[in-house]
């Protein structure tokens, strides 16, 4: 990222480096559910039911999209027992529900599910439940990760290519329009813009075809399934890809009509009509360039929106803010990396005799510097939103990738500081108004910027940089290739600039690859939620407490085992067993239990235990609040010997 002045050591540049690192060090409160997680199932995993359920209902942490095979229920003999289509529960887009067959034999049933979360990523899982009693089962469901299918791997490749195409299309076009208008007819840059458009269009079509197999987990041959394609384009991600294709078609028309006209105006030699006709051409060129910039900006924002509206920004907290921030982040990336590619191509691949004015490099420096500022600012917000805590940087895959990306960006900025130094040196050289390209040219007269050595620039902004220079003596430091001339002298600075710009572009490709991996990785906040939901699902389905007692008489001590099922807010069953000192179960005449929530001053609630000839039980005890409840347990062994003891029990909240 070169610049035209010696500002490489200013506090602002240092702040950018620090800010890039700080983007990883922010934490925040609140939840953000990119990549949905299943929070509850009815029936629950591993439960044993007395009677067959009528339906299966899954609840997720965010809204999900469903397909015909989103829920499959298999009998112990591996036969489908689900009936009808999979749909959301009424008024609940974060659920999936399917009806079951009317008559289901006893045994263990397997439920396999697959859905697409609001941020466009597929999720899947499986669980079991039993009717009557558990049994052996021959049912099998796919156990591979949603990211481990052939379609998923190809889809990730398509994502990367699409990001690259977007960066080249937007970055190179903006470089030509704003930094070097006189180069609109330069063939390498024109071909680069066309290549960017073609790459983005082809990768978008590729992603649209793969979207169906990617979401459903089906084989690659299902890309020819028209019904699956129809289902794809009605979903959020498929619609976004379709809109992107329409926008690219319009961009293609814009490039064909206006781009060709701009190139004609740039390449046209001085007319016989004189200076007045040339001035008219310059006015038309500037006017047409303004129109292209305005229309192109609208298309660029539209293209970026097709990513933001269907990726991580579209789900979780602060979506109305996250989407425009994501658009800015994507555009800043394209401007920076695509512009670097354009500058590198201009320095290395322009036709012999074409020179790159120092002012062009300086303009791109200012543009790239602004893009990096936007990248850091939006990156800070996105890091807070997706990571959420310092621990997540090292404990989640997303956090580790984000740290790697930040490190790569810091390295790019360090390399960019050298580019800034070489450009600053060139700006202060008396004969350094233009930078020769890598192709050697006769050291006689510096040619004006254009497609060929005879081309004449019509841009008044470049007139000062394109003026013809007298020949340079062949043995000055500027023309020698001896080691003593590098990096001292203009020629050494130019070579150093070319190398540092090329290094920036290569490192930018690495940053782009890491960004592609991030878009397909579950954000840290969601990963933490998933771990919490998994731990909750694996937690015991009942709460058991042992309460010791001692009445003070011989053989008057022991323990009471009290079990609350499910041990959550709401209706619970209570069972109590009394153990003697030797560990054997003992029958006693009376056992009473009350609960008090001291923090909220609720209770005592009487459990109303009933003697069931060997143990005490209550079929229904409604517990209104989660938290710590104090139990008062009264144990009566004889008509006169009894004791009351207290112990705390923690009641869990009902899952969302």
């Amino acid at each position: 990222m070169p610049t035209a002045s010696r500002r490489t050591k200013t506090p602002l540049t240092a702040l950018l480096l620090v800010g890039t690192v700080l983007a990883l060090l922010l934490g925040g409160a609140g939840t953000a559910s990119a990549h949905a997680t299943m929070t509850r199932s009815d029936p629950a995993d591993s439960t044993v039911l007395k009677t067959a359920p009528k339906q299966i209902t899954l609840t997720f942490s965010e809204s999900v999209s469903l397909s015909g095979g989103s829920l499959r229920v298999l009998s112990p003999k591996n036969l489908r027992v689900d009936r009808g289509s999979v749909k959301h529960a009424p008024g609940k887009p974060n659920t999936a529900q399917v009806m079951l067959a009317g008559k289901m034999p006893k045994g263990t049933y397997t439920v396999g599910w697959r859905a697409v979360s609001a941020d466009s990523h597929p999720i899947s899982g499986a669980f079991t439940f039993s009717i009557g009693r558990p049994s052996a089962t021959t049912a099998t469901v796919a156990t591979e990760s949603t990211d481990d299918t052939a379609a998923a791997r190809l889809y990730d490749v398509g994502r990367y290519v699409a990001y690259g195409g977007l960066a080249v299309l937007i970055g190179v076009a903006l470089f030509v329009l704003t930094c070097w208008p006189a180069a609109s007819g330069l063939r390498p840059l024109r071909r680069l813009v066309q290549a960017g458009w073609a790459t983005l269009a082809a990768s978008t079509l590729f992603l649209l075809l793969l979207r169906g197999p990617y979401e459903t987990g089906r084989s690659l041959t299902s890309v020819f399934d028209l019904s699956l394609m129809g289902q794809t384009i009605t979903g959020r991600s498929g619609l976004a890809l379709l809109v992107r294709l329409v926008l690219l078609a319009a961009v293609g028309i814009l490039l064909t009509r206006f781009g060709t006209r701009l190139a004609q105006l740039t390449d046209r030699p001085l007319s016989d009509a004189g200076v007045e006709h040339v001035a008219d051409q310059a006015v038309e060129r500037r006017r047409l360039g303004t129109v292209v910039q305005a229309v192109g900006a609208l298309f660029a924002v539209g293209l970026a929106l097709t990513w933001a509206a269907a990726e991580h920004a579209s789900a979780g907290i602060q979506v109305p803010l996250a989407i425009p921030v994501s658009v800015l982040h994507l555009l800043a990336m394209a401007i920076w990396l695509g512009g670097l590619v354009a500058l590198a191509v201009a320095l290395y691949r322009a036709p012999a005799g074409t020179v790159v004015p120092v002012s062009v490099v300086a303009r791109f420096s200012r543009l790239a510097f602004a893009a990096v500022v936007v990248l850091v600012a939006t990156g800070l917000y996105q890091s807070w939103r997706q990571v959420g805590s310092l621990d997540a940087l090292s404990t989640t895959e997303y956090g580790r990738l984000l740290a790697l990306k930040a490190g790569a960006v810091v390295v790019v900025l360090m390399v960019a500081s050298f580019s800034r130094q070489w450009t600053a040196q060139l700006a202060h050289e008396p004969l350094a108004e233009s930078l020769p390209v890598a192709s050697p040219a006769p050291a006689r007269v510096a040619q004006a910027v254009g497609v060929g050595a005879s081309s004449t620039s019509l841009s008044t902004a470049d007139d000062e940089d394109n003026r013809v220079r007298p020949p340079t003596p062949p043995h000055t430091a500027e023309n020698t290739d001896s080691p003593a001339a590098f990096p001292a002298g203009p020629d050494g600075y130019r070579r150093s600039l070319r190398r540092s710009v090329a290094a920036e572009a290569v490192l930018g490709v690495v940053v782009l690859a890491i960004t592609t991996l991030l878009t397909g990785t579950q954000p840290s906040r969601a990963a933490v939620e998933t771990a919490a939901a998994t731990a909750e699902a694996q937690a015991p389905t009942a709460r058991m407490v042992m309460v010791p007692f001692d009445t003070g008489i011989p053989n008057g001590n022991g323990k009471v085992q009290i079990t609350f099922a499910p041990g959550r807010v709401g209706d619970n069953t209570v069972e109590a067993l009394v153990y003697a000192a030797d560990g054997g179960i003992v029958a006693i005449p009376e056992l009473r239990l009350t609960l008090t929530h001291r923090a909220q001053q609720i209770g005592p609630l009487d459990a109303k235990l009933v003697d069931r000839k060997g143990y005490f039980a209550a079929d229904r005890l409604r517990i209104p609040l989660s938290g710590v409840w104090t139990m008062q347990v009264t144990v009566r062994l004889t008509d006169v010997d009894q004791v009351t003891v207290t112990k705390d029990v923690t009641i869990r909240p009902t899952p969302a």
Side-chain angles (χ1 to χ4, degrees):
M1 188 178 60
T3 189
S5 62
R6 300 176 184 271
R7 291 178 292 179
T8 56
K9 298 181 180 180
T10 62
L12 183 57
T13 303
L15 183 62
L16 285 176
L17 288 169
V18 175
T20 304
V21 177
L22 286 179
L24 303 174
L25 304 180
L26 292 180
T31 59
S33 301
H35 279 45
T37 57
M38 191 185 75
T39 58
R40 185 171 55 182
S41 66
D42 183 17
D45 185 18
S46 302
T47 56
V48 180
L49 307 176
K50 294 180 179 180
T51 59
K54 295 181 179 180
Q55 61 191 20
I56 300 292
T57 303
L58 308 183
T59 303
F60 298 91
S61 58
E62 66 179 35
S63 61
V64 293
S65 299
L66 306 173
S67 62
S70 288
L71 265 177
R72 300 170 66 245
V73 185
L74 303 174
S75 72
K77 295 182 178 180
N78 200 27
L79 301 176
R80 292 280 295 269
V81 295
D82 52 285
R83 298 291 183 267
S85 61
V86 182
K87 58 185 179 180
H88 298 296
K92 297 180 179 180
N94 65 326
T95 61
Q97 190 175 83
V98 68
M99 303 302 294
L100 298 178
K103 188 176 182 180
M104 298 170 60
K106 293 182 179 180
T108 298
Y109 289 78
T110 303
V111 181
W113 58 268
R114 188 180 182 95
V116 180
S117 58
D119 66 348
S120 79
H121 294 281
I123 53 175
S124 64
F127 65 93
T128 62
F129 70 92
S130 301
I131 301 174
R133 63 181 182 278
S135 69
T137 177
T138 60
T140 57
V141 294
T143 57
E144 64 181 357
S145 167
T146 54
D147 297 325
D148 197 31
T149 63
R153 290 189 289 270
L154 290 174
Y155 199 85
D156 286 340
V157 174
R159 273 200 185 111
Y160 177 76
V161 175
Y163 275 125
L166 180 75
V168 171
L169 175 61
I170 294 178
V172 177
L174 191 65
F175 176 85
V176 172
L177 290 171
T178 62
C179 299
W180 198 5
S184 58
L186 201 63
R187 180 171 297 178
L189 294 182
R190 289 181 62 187
R191 287 180 174 175
L192 203 56
V193 173
Q194 293 167 355
W197 179 89
T199 300
L200 182 55
S203 60
T204 301
L205 181 59
F206 179 74
L207 291 173
L208 184 61
L209 292 173
L210 277 180
R211 186 69 202 178
Y214 174 64
E215 289 183 351
T216 60
R218 294 169 59 180
S219 65
L220 292 177
T221 57
S222 61
V223 298
F224 304 107
D225 187 341
L226 296 181
S227 62
L228 183 60
M229 176 58 68
Q231 177 182 311
T232 297
I233 61 177
T234 57
R236 178 188 297 182
S237 298
L239 185 59
L241 291 169
L242 191 61
V243 170
R244 191 185 303 168
L245 281 176
V246 173
L247 289 174
L248 285 171
V251 170
I253 296 174
L254 179 71
L255 289 174
T256 301
R257 296 187 60 180
F258 295 99
T260 302
R261 179 57 179 163
L262 278 174
Q264 290 174 348
L265 291 173
T266 301
D267 295 342
R268 182 176 295 174
L270 291 174
S271 174
D272 294 337
V275 177
E276 182 178 351
H277 186 67
V278 173
D280 290 341
Q281 291 179 2
V283 171
E284 181 184 357
R285 186 181 184 282
R286 285 194 295 269
R287 186 178 301 167
L288 187 59
T290 302
V291 172
V292 171
Q293 288 181 29
V295 177
L298 292 176
F299 279 121
V301 172
L303 289 172
L305 271 172
T306 63
W307 267 275
E311 295 286 350
H312 289 159
S314 63
I317 60 173
Q318 302 177 354
V319 171
L321 176 61
I323 287 181
V325 167
S326 179
V327 169
L328 288 175
H329 194 79
L330 195 57
L331 290 178
M333 177 276 297
I335 291 169
W336 180 28
L337 297 184
L340 278 175
V341 172
L343 182 58
V345 169
L347 290 173
Y348 277 93
R349 293 290 182 263
T354 302
V355 292
V356 181
V358 174
S359 65
V360 169
V361 184
R363 285 182 208 135
F364 174 69
S365 165
R366 293 188 291 270
L367 181 65
F369 190 82
V372 171
V373 171
V374 174
L375 276 172
V376 171
T378 54
L380 285 168
Y381 171 76
Q382 290 182 325
S383 298
W384 166 80
R385 184 173 181 268
Q386 302 291 6
V387 176
S389 68
L390 292 175
D391 291 341
L393 291 175
S394 58
T395 58
T396 65
E397 182 182 2
Y398 189 94
R400 290 188 288 269
L401 282 174
L402 188 60
L404 181 62
K405 177 183 176 181
V409 171
V410 170
V411 173
V412 174
L413 294 178
M414 292 174 62
V415 175
S417 68
F418 290 101
S419 299
R420 293 163 63 84
Q421 293 177 22
W422 307 141
T423 307
Q425 294 291 341
L426 283 168
H428 288 79
E429 291 292 333
L431 298 179
E433 282 79 5
S434 58
L435 303 176
V437 296
S439 302
R444 289 176 293 186
V445 179
Q447 301 293 329
V449 177
V451 177
S454 61
S455 300
T456 302
S457 171
L458 299 178
S459 173
T460 57
D462 290 331
D463 288 344
E464 192 67 21
D465 305 305
N466 298 328
R467 60 181 181 268
V468 176
R469 286 287 169 186
T472 302
H475 297 293
T476 63
E478 183 178 358
N479 287 278
T480 181
D481 291 327
S482 65
F486 181 81
D491 193 51
Y493 296 140
R494 291 163 185 153
R495 289 199 301 269
S496 300
L497 177 62
R498 283 196 296 268
R499 292 171 181 173
S500 61
V501 168
E504 282 185 76
V506 171
L507 289 171
V509 172
V510 175
V511 172
L512 201 61
I514 300 174
T515 301
T516 303
L517 293 176
L518 280 172
T519 61
T521 303
Q522 186 179 39
S524 299
R525 285 185 188 260
V528 172
E529 287 183 6
T530 301
T534 302
E536 184 71 22
Q538 295 175 349
T541 57
R543 180 71 69 186
M544 187 182 70
V545 183
M546 298 296 291
V547 183
F549 68 89
D550 189 350
T551 61
I553 63 173
N555 299 321
N557 63 313
K559 295 179 181 180
V560 181
Q561 175 184 296
I562 302 176
T563 304
F564 297 87
R568 300 181 184 274
V569 172
D571 290 338
N572 286 258
T573 60
V574 184
E575 292 185 355
L577 280 172
V578 182
Y579 292 92
D582 60 3
I585 298 176
V586 61
I588 63 174
E590 185 180 8
L591 183 68
R592 297 194 301 271
L593 170 66
T594 62
L595 290 91
T596 302
H597 198 299
R598 293 179 176 177
Q600 299 296 328
Q601 297 182 351
I602 298 175
L605 306 178
D606 191 350
K608 299 180 180 180
L609 297 178
V610 177
D611 188 355
R612 297 288 176 84
K613 304 303 180 181
Y615 69 98
F616 290 81
D619 291 333
R620 182 182 179 187
L621 173 62
R622 181 176 290 275
I623 303 177
L625 290 177
S626 61
V628 178
W629 289 77
T630 299
M631 298 185 299
Q632 277 196 330
V633 183
T634 300
V635 182
R636 185 168 66 87
L637 300 183
T638 67
D639 290 340
V640 294
D641 297 310
Q642 70 176 35
V643 66
T644 298
V645 291
T646 62
K647 186 148 187 183
D648 290 340
V649 61
T650 301
I651 300 299
R652 295 171 293 174
T654 302

